[in-house]
Amino acid sequence: MSIIFIILAAAIAIPEQFISVEGFMDLDNSATPTRFGLLLVAGEDSVSNLQMAELILATMDSLPEGAFPDLYVITLDQPGYTDIAALCGDFSGYPTTLVMVGNCGYIEMDPAYLIVEIIDAWFTWGNHDSRRTGICNFCRRCNP
């Protein structure tokens, strides 16, 4: 019985493309003014977490060639989860996705329009040729 549980747990693990983080400190240490990333804020349901991760990965195919957003995940067991989760959950709870821009800039994406939201965020803030300023006006970290 325990072997079946281990196999099932491994089958619904977040894909390895996502880097696990403990909180803002990990994210702040990897961010630079030119970085663009996506943060999966996991919920309690591991199947929903996996589905959100797969949707994020599927969206990567919709971004232009050469677009390589950093992919992160934070789970409920991480010490900084509560601080990050406080920035989001407005749309439909967890899991949810935050786009991260530059040193600091966290915007929650609407899961119902996730693909379009990620593409729009890339062309607004991620693409070096079309990057606009003003992420701070939208960021939830400093402007709740």
Side-chain angles (χ1 to χ4, degrees):
M1 180 72 168
S2 62
I3 293 174
I4 292 173
F5 178 74
I6 292 170
I7 292 171
L8 288 175
I12 56 176
I14 300 294
E16 65 184 27
Q17 291 95 323
F18 289 83
I19 299 167
S20 181
V21 294
E22 292 185 2
F24 282 125
M25 185 175 291
D26 285 350
L27 295 169
D28 291 346
N29 287 337
S30 67
T32 68
T34 60
R35 298 294 264 195
F36 179 85
L38 300 166
L39 172 62
L40 169 59
V41 182
E44 293 180 4
D45 182 3
S46 57
V47 173
S48 294
N49 294 338
L50 178 60
Q51 289 171 340
M52 181 70 75
E54 289 174 345
L55 183 58
I56 292 169
L57 289 175
T59 302
M60 298 302 102
D61 293 336
S62 300
L63 294 177
E65 187 175 316
F68 300 106
D70 298 322
L71 299 176
Y72 301 99
V73 61
I74 187 162
T75 54
L76 284 87
D77 60 333
Q78 298 302 324
Y81 180 86
T82 305
D83 294 332
I84 290 175
L87 302 179
C88 53
D90 293 341
F91 289 106
S92 61
Y94 304 94
T96 193
T97 304
L98 291 173
V99 63
M100 304 177 316
V101 181
N103 293 97
C104 177
Y106 296 85
I107 303 171
E108 183 178 13
M109 303 283 99
D110 184 343
Y113 304 102
L114 189 61
I115 293 173
V116 174
E117 292 244 77
I118 290 173
I119 293 169
D120 181 58
W122 167 258
F123 283 108
T124 303
W125 292 293
N127 182 352
H128 297 283
D129 296 330
S130 66
R131 178 172 289 157
R132 294 187 333 205
T133 60
I135 187 72
C136 290
N137 295 327
F138 305 97
C139 176
R140 295 287 306 270
R141 188 173 181 185
C142 298
N143 298 307

